[in-house]
Amino acid sequence: QVQLVESGGGLVQAGASLRLSCSASGRTFSRNAMGWFRQAPGKEREFVASINWSGSVTYYADSVKGRFTISRDNAKNTMYLQMNSLKPEDTAVYYCAASSIYYALGSRSRTDYDYWGQGTQATVSS
């Protein structure tokens, strides 16, 4: 059974940092693109960042560019999201996702991902 498990969320003040992790089990995603999405209360789930299988191609939402960094360690079957200079508007449940297609570059679209974690809450107070 394939599982993606997020961790690292929490409650922090504006300007602080958090590092989210997404650990995969049940299969390896070392040849698959992965991504982070988030969903705030009352809003649709939105793209945050994506990374291709090797880590050489990354995409970011404009709202997080320059503050967030996506990375992966294929040996550990784990993906990360380093979030710096956090703002109250970053408050959301953060989800990791993985594509089933080999060697894709990564995508901003939810429909291009086949596996999803259950999410981790990140709350930023002002």
Side-chain angles (χ1 to χ4, degrees), residues 53-107:
W53 69 277
S54 67
S56 62
V57 179
T58 57
Y59 299 124
Y60 294 94
D62 288 343
S63 59
V64 306
K65 202 172 294 183
R67 300 188 297 122
F68 291 11
T69 302
I70 189 172
S71 62
R72 65 191 298 164
D73 184 337
N74 286 338
K76 296 182 178 179
N77 219 17
T78 301
M79 176 179 65
Y80 305 97
L81 185 68
Q82 178 66 43
M83 307 190 296
N84 298 331
S85 302
L86 283 161
K87 304 175 181 180
E89 50 263 45
D90 294 317
T91 295
V93 177
Y94 284 74
Y95 298 90
C96 72
S99 167
S100 63
I101 299 175
Y102 290 155
Y103 305 121
L105 291 180
S107 171

